[in-house]
Amino acid sequence: EAGVTQSPTHLIKTRGQQATLRCSPISGHTSVYWYQQALGLGLQFLLWYDEGEERNRGNFPPRFSGRQFPNYSSELNVNALELEDSALYLCASSRLGGMNTEAFFGQGTRLTVV
Amino acid sequence: QQQVKQSPQSLIVQKGGIPIINCAYENTAFDYFPWYQQFPGKGPALLIAIRPDVSEKKEGRFTISFNKSAKQFSLHIMDSQPGDSATYFCAASMGYQKVTFGTGTKLQVIP
């Protein structure tokens, strides 16, 4: 069974540009979570999507947005990039409602804003 | 109510020692408590998990202790090795709700 896959692995953007990060969940998982992990820091919750809808949002400005597609894959968009947006962006997926609600993570996208 | 508080933030132990990482929660509706291990530059990986009807669970050198009345759970690493050096996250979840993570503990095991 394929795990959570994220693309690209690395992304370098200039301040003010837009970045698009992609995530494919494990087959059968309907929930996708996005987290930001700045260097040396913990997991900061960004967004949670389930069944195509945004279920919850972390304390981030509106320039962080995303969506979930009918096949449950997801996209995170970051507009008007700032230097402090440089971080590892992690996607995780899980089932909802069953006995197994653990989340499985992808390897992340390392975003560098210069 | 949705928070999971994790301590310590960092931990240094010698090889063979038993590091202990603690987590506490408020929401008694949580029914699943996983621990994740993350190596630098990698995504977190599920390590071990426990449900509140069990007080202890062991998998290899890793043990979760769960105290339902105190709403606390902890991870113990027996005979720790330098290869265990990583960041550890506790988490909590319940049906139909998102997974909530602790803030992480950076563990360093020195030879």
Side-chain angles (χ1 to χ4, degrees):
Chain A
E1 180 183 281
V4 177
T5 57
Q6 291 187 244
S7 63
T9 306
H10 293 86
L11 188 58
I12 300 175
K13 290 286 186 178
T14 304
R15 189 171 50 183
Q17 284 188 316
Q18 178 193 35
T20 298
L21 289 63
R22 297 180 176 83
C23 173
S24 293
I26 291 173
S27 177
H29 287 189
T30 62
S31 272
V32 170
Y33 313 86
W34 287 96
Y35 289 86
Q36 182 196 63
Q37 188 175 33
L39 190 62
L41 298 179
L43 300 168
Q44 302 298 316
F45 170 68
L46 267 164
L47 290 159
W48 170 33
Y49 291 97
D50 183 68
E51 296 284 1
E53 295 190 10
E54 183 179 301
R55 299 293 186 183
N56 205 342
R57 182 182 179 85
N59 189 25
F60 279 84
R63 57 191 186 82
F64 287 83
S65 65
R67 54 180 171 168
Q68 187 177 34
F69 299 98
N71 66 354
Y72 303 115
S73 67
S74 179
E75 197 174 83
L76 174 69
N77 294 293
V78 187
N79 294 320
L81 284 165
E82 300 178 1
L83 296 178
E84 52 265 34
D85 296 334
S86 296
L88 181 67
Y89 288 84
L90 292 161
C91 170
S93 74
S94 74
R95 294 187 185 92
L96 263 190
M99 289 295 290
N100 299 311
T101 54
E102 68 269 30
F104 294 87
F105 282 86
Q107 293 299 295
T109 293
R110 173 69 64 185
L111 173 64
T112 303
V113 182
V114 297
Chain B
Q1 276 263 321
Q2 290 294 97
Q3 281 188 325
V4 177
K5 296 181 180 179
Q6 183 172 348
S7 63
Q9 189 173 6
S10 63
L11 189 55
I12 300 175
V13 299
Q14 285 202 313
K15 178 182 174 182
I18 305 175
I20 301 173
I21 304 170
N22 300 299
C23 286
Y25 63 98
E26 290 294 326
N27 192 338
T28 55
F30 285 137
D31 61 3
Y32 188 77
F33 301 89
W35 285 87
Y36 289 82
Q37 179 188 55
Q38 184 182 30
F39 293 106
K42 304 292 185 182
L46 182 64
L47 186 63
I48 185 174
I50 197 168
R51 297 199 180 275
D53 54 344
V54 176
S55 61
E56 185 176 276
K57 182 175 182 180
K58 292 182 181 180
E59 285 188 7
R61 295 184 294 106
F62 298 91
T63 299
I64 300 178
S65 298
F66 191 86
N67 186 329
K68 189 174 181 178
S69 60
K71 293 185 285 186
Q72 295 176 346
F73 57 110
S74 59
L75 177 70
H76 302 230
I77 305 176
M78 310 302 289
D79 187 28
S80 59
Q81 302 296 313
D84 297 329
S85 298
T87 299
Y88 293 82
F89 293 94
C90 63
S93 69
M94 53 186 169
Y96 299 105
Q97 298 295 324
K98 69 181 178 72
V99 179
T100 301
F101 287 88
T103 50
T105 296
K106 188 172 183 179
L107 170 66
Q108 184 180 359
V109 181
I110 54 178

